[in-house]
Amino acid sequence: MIKPEKKFRLSQNKNKVKNKKIIVRVDFNVDFAQGRIFDWHRIESVKKTLAELESAGQIILISHWDNPQPGSRAAKKFSFKKILPQIEKRLRLKIGFLKNPDERPKAKINLLENLRFWPGEKLNDRKFGRRLARLADIYINEAFSASHRRHASIVQPPKFLPSYIGPNFENELKQLNQIFKPKRPLILILGGAKISTKLPLIIHFLKKADLIILGGGLANTYLKAKGAQVGQSLIEEKTLTKVKSIDSAKIILPTDFILANKKETGLDKIKPTDRILDLGRASLELILTKIKSAETIVWNGPLGYVENKSFQNGTKTLAQALVKNKNFVLVGGGDTIAFLNRLGLINRFKRVSTGGGAMLEYLAKENLIGLEAILKSGRKKFRPISRNL
Ligand code: 3PG
């Protein structure tokens, strides 16, 4: 667990940004379809950052969006220029657009083009990182959710500039750190398609958690690894051997399911042609009973095939129970948040981690690449490199 000292937190150093040029790494990697942004959570969170940067001279927001091939025609689809008017309207702000890091910023607040348009970003190229750093005097990381990536905009600027984490990053850490010193019982509920992404977290929490409830593809893979028949259900073949070696009475698995043919079946009745798509009633009941007795709950990953309304019941019922739970409940993960958004429930959760991979990585390793970069920057003396545009 990392608790950054005051000198690494913007909230404690607001006086240092006065009249300075600031680059802020945000995460505007948003869901977008039919010309509309679906989830405004990440974009709206920047308001809090900007409030702390009120006295700054100039602000340049930098972010990636999706994963376009640099230079490809298809990449244009992910140009921030296209969605900037929507962002300006939503935030009620005038924001200048920078085509590249060498352009002269025109407005007080600016947004640079999608960082992944430059190959240097994902290659963690030092020169590209320096080019970004030259835009400013100070670097702020507000992209907790992208801070598990060893990419230039996350790792390089703190090598050249005094650096801080922003208030949203700080809040993410505060929430997640509570899970390392939880009120007990602590229950983890993990679902989603791939167990490989959550395996390090499961292993790390086998000692720390009181229960780990598995659902979705994770449960299918675990059951199959232990020799159960799961028919044609979604599993992750490559992890079967590793999963087989994990044994713990703390792991709770579903015992009945809704199949693709919408019939409810017990685990022992599953046929080789069947496909599990949701929790059965008994499994759901068991989960609801367990969470009633928990003091701390962490949930990441849907427990069924929520893209189809017929198989949402398990995940939806869990979500409805959790919003009513008065204890410490933290939800996270891209698919979980997207689903809670669709249900209109997201705002009823008090603690939401914007990080998918980053949340899992921080919980599993108790560290994060982007955070390490900021802490390392604290040991340096910097000479100004800003281009004084
Ligand atoms: C996220 O949405 O989880 C982050 O922005 C990271 O995105 P990436 O998986 O494309 O690196």
Side-chain angles (χ1 to χ4, degrees), residues 141 147-151 154-155 361 365 367-374:
N141 188 339
S147 287
H148 58 312
R149 302 283 182 219
R150 200 173 288 285
H151 292 173
I154 300 286
V155 179
E361 178 126 344
K365 296 196 179 147
N367 204 347
L368 208 55
I369 287 163
L371 185 55
E372 245 179 14
I374 300 277

Side-chain angles (χ1 to χ4, degrees), residues 27 29 42 64 116 145 148-149:
D27 190 354
N29 185 23
R42 286 180 170 183
H64 74 287
R116 290 193 181 163
S145 45
H148 58 312
R149 302 283 182 219

Side-chain angles (χ1 to χ4, degrees), residues 225-269:
K226 297 292 177 184
Q229 171 67 267
V230 295
Q232 303 298 308
S233 310
L234 177 74
I235 59 147
E236 210 180 3
E237 198 79 44
K238 65 172 187 187
T239 51
L240 287 174
T241 318
K242 187 144 192 212
V243 172
K244 195 173 171 197
S245 66
I246 300 173
D247 257 320
S248 170
K250 290 182 178 175
I251 295 182
I252 306 269
L253 293 152
T255 52
D256 64 340
F257 306 92
I258 307 294
L259 304 175
N261 60 15
K262 301 194 182 153
K263 292 210 170 100
E264 193 166 31
T265 308
L267 180 61
D268 50 345
K269 305 249 167 39

Side-chain angles (χ1 to χ4, degrees), residues 344-358:
L345 285 180
I346 192 73
N347 294 330
R348 295 185 51 201
F349 281 89
K350 264 219 271 215
R351 299 173 190 90
V352 178
S353 174
T354 58

